[in-house]
Amino acid sequence: KKNDDAISRPIKKNVKFGSAYFVAAEAGISMLPFIEIGPRIEYLQATPLEYLSEGGGTFQALNIDATLTSFMLGATTGLDLPLTGLGFQVAGYAGHGYAVARSTYASTNSKSASQLTGGGFVAQLEAKLKYSILPLVSFDLIGGMRFASVGVLADGGKPSAQSFDFSGINAGGGLT
């Protein structure tokens, strides 16, 4: 996102990202009929934020690039429709997310860079529509909601007032 006057105002203490890309891997063990329990690891790369300001012979730019790595445990339940190859699943996961945010600031007179790190509670709810293309192989359409607001991040061990919100709706596809 570009915003011509964003530098002239203080940056919000809670930065909410507009979009992101993520990859996830999960495993499940059947504990009871229709219920699987297992871990999920997810890596999320937020679309970098860019704030620019130019005028009066001065130039200012701020870029924020952030990632979130989540380690969660969850449960999945579902129902397969016999003879159709279709199935439906719902899942819920909760765990810990570790965020890294790198920022660079440049102006007419100076340049600086910093890295903020921190962690917090993350959770995800999702629904999957599955279509079996071969025995034991299916294509999945996935939609869900992520809750991941990482509180106080630290800059080189010093706490900062900055926090990042990675929460939002997610959609994707996969093979299982």
Side-chain angles (χ1 to χ4, degrees):
K1 295 180 180 179
K2 295 184 180 187
N3 186 344
D4 292 335
D5 65 345
I7 292 293
S8 62
R9 297 187 318 266
I11 299 299
K12 295 179 188 177
K13 288 187 176 184
N14 183 23
V15 177
K16 181 154 180 71
F17 294 96
S19 61
Y21 304 95
F22 71 96
V23 294
E26 57 190 57
I29 298 170
S30 293
M31 300 301 284
L32 298 170
F34 303 109
I35 295 178
E36 290 182 2
I37 296 174
R40 176 184 177 104
I41 298 171
E42 184 176 274
Y43 176 81
L44 181 143
Q45 170 69 54
T47 303
L49 296 176
E50 184 177 73
Y51 298 94
L52 298 172
S53 177
E54 192 171 0
T58 63
F59 169 79
Q60 296 181 5
L62 173 67
N63 286 318
I64 301 173
D65 186 17
T67 62
L68 177 69
T69 304
S70 302
F71 304 94
M72 299 178 276
L73 287 175
T76 302
T77 187
L79 177 66
D80 291 330
L81 302 173
L83 305 174
T84 65
L86 292 175
F88 180 75
Q89 290 183 333
V90 293
Y93 303 93
H96 184 79
Y98 179 75
V100 176
R102 293 171 191 84
S103 65
T104 56
Y105 172 78
S107 71
T108 305
N109 301 322
S110 67
K111 281 186 173 182
S112 66
S114 67
Q115 179 170 299
L116 300 173
T117 59
F121 175 78
V122 296
Q124 185 154 325
L125 300 173
E126 65 183 29
K128 295 179 187 179
L129 178 63
K130 303 171 73 66
Y131 179 70
S132 215
I133 53 179
L134 294 170
L136 303 176
V137 178
S138 66
F139 177 73
D140 305 342
L141 293 176
I142 305 164
M145 180 72 183
R146 175 183 302 104
F147 305 94
S149 183
V150 179
V152 177
L153 278 77
D155 182 3
K158 297 183 306 184
S160 84
Q162 190 72 54
S163 66
F164 289 90
D165 191 352
F166 295 92
S167 300
I169 296 171
N170 58 52
L175 284 173
T176 54

